[in-house]
Amino acid sequence: MTVRGFISAKNKRKLSMLTCYDASFARLLNDTDVDCLLVGDSLAMVVYGYDTTVHATVEMMARHTEAVRRGAPDKMIVADMPFLSVQQGAAEAVRAAGALVRAGADAVKVEGYRGYEDAIAAVISAGIPVMGHLGLTPQFYHVFGGFKVQGRDEASRRHILEGAHVLQDLGVFSIVLECIPSPLAKAVTKEIRVPTIGIGAGPDTDGQVLVLYDLAAFVSDKPLRFVRRYAELGAELRDAVNRYVDDVQSGAFPSLSESFEE
Ligand SMILES: Nc1nc(=O)c2c([nH]1)NC[C@@H]1CN(c3ccc(C(=O)N[C@@H](CCC(=O)O)C(=O)O)cc3)CN21
Ligand SMILES: CC(C)C(=O)C(=O)O
Ligand SMILES: [Mg+2]
């Protein structure tokens, strides 16, 4: 899949995207049908254990993008522009986006738009495709007062609808819609020419994205409303670890065939 192919999928077939943060999972996902990998700044939470995504840095994103590219040579990769990387002017935004592309990304994703339209335009002018991201933009955690569904009041609805048009006019190739009411996601999807990718935005977007660790239930937290668990790998892995510990304690592991002769 290429950025061009991504755009032309609109009104033809649904797009699928999953987060990926390391080379081993990238190798696995490289051999699946998923259209696109997202090196999400959610890695600050999922991989590094922070409470929010504001802790992700350009260096962190670039290092993980390199790892994902090594593991998944054939997949389209989008890398998140981390907190404050587009808010410090166009030159800084281009520098950060360039670092992510040199690390192996095909495109970058930017949360929001208001106040940094110029920076988004500069990144696109530099030859780096940009994916927008509206609705629950987690980098605005401290403004929203938590991870809260957006687009429920008229001002927020208007901000999201306007934002979709502003981003389209700036030239983004796609827009992620996160945690907004389904009818609003449907309206945005109908109004704009580029594909929308939803997470917690209902069934009517042009595609869907999930965090791989959520889809596979690696962590046994209470599942978020918008997550479907396609596997229970967390429970399976915990069970495997406990069987390993039992075998170590009983001496059943390792066997002779798992050991070297003289
Ligand atoms: N593992 C993981 N999965 C994600 O989807 C994800 C991350 N991490 N980190 C970055 C953001 C944060 N996300 C979140 C986190 C929490 C809610 C949440 O608690 N949602 C409530 C509704 C909140 C409200 O509006 O009252 C829900 O019930 O879904 C939603 C999105 C989505 N992103
Ligand atoms: C949840 C997706 C859209 C994201 O931005 C991330 O994983 O960082
Ligand atoms: Mg993100």
Side-chain angles (χ1 to χ4, degrees):
M1 172 74 55
T2 60
V3 168
R4 297 297 323 165
F6 207 82
I7 297 170
S8 59
K10 179 144 181 154
N11 299 324
K12 293 204 188 75
R13 64 175 189 85
K14 294 274 191 177
L15 291 159
S16 58
M17 181 159 82
L18 280 175
T19 65
C20 187
Y21 314 116
D22 70 45
S24 293
F25 278 121
R27 277 179 66 182
L28 189 149
L29 292 175
N30 195 57
D31 296 329
T32 68
D33 299 327
V34 76
D35 290 311
C36 177
L37 307 185
L38 173 67
V39 185
D41 60 348
S42 53
L43 76 82
M45 298 170 69
V46 174
V47 174
Y48 288 89
Y50 292 109
D51 288 336
T52 71
T53 58
V54 304
H55 300 279
T57 65
V58 174
E59 291 64 34
M60 207 186 260
M61 296 307 301
R63 208 159 172 80
H64 286 269
T65 299
E66 284 175 12
V68 170
R69 177 50 81 202
R70 287 187 202 111
D74 307 324
K75 289 293 182 190
M76 173 174 160
I77 297 175
V78 178
D80 267 346
M81 290 283 276
F83 185 57
L84 301 187
S85 60
V86 285
Q87 283 84 354
Q88 298 172 87
E92 172 57 24
V94 170
R95 193 199 66 78
L100 299 180
V101 168
R102 288 204 173 106
D106 297 292
V108 299
K109 179 161 72 58
V110 173
E111 289 188 13
Y113 67 97
R114 197 171 277 169
Y116 39 93
E117 291 94 334
D118 292 352
I120 294 171
V123 172
I124 295 171
S125 294
I128 300 172
V130 172
M131 179 179 269
H133 183 163
L134 297 170
L136 199 185
T137 44
Q139 291 169 19
F140 294 78
Y141 178 91
H142 298 290
V143 173
F144 296 151
F147 295 124
K148 303 270 177 65
V149 172
Q150 300 297 304
R152 280 190 161 145
D153 59 72
E154 195 44 41
S156 173
R157 265 182 63 85
R158 211 158 348 102
H159 179 246
I160 291 162
L161 273 164
E162 261 177 43
H165 284 282
V166 170
L167 287 170
Q168 168 165 272
D169 293 345
L170 286 170
V172 302
F173 74 93
S174 176
I175 301 176
V176 165
L177 299 173
E178 178 165 350
C179 291
I180 61 172
S182 309
L184 177 56
K186 186 177 183 176
V188 172
T189 301
K190 208 174 153 198
E191 281 192 29
I192 65 171
R193 296 181 305 274
V194 295
T196 59
I197 306 298
I199 173 167
D204 298 313
T205 53
D206 296 306
Q208 297 289 331
V209 56
L210 277 179
V211 169
L212 178 64
Y213 285 52
D214 295 345
L215 167 154
F218 270 109
V219 184
S220 45
D221 297 345
K222 177 176 163 289
L224 294 164
R225 179 185 168 97
F226 54 84
V227 169
R228 186 177 297 177
R229 296 178 164 206
Y230 284 88
E232 292 288 342
L233 298 194
E236 191 156 333
L237 191 52
R238 203 161 27 247
D239 180 60
V241 167
N242 286 333
R243 286 188 288 116
Y244 159 73
V245 172
D246 284 349
D247 283 353
V248 169
Q249 286 175 351
S250 71
F253 177 82
S255 66
L256 281 178
S257 69
E258 289 158 329
S259 310
F260 297 102
E261 295 139 49
E262 228 175 336

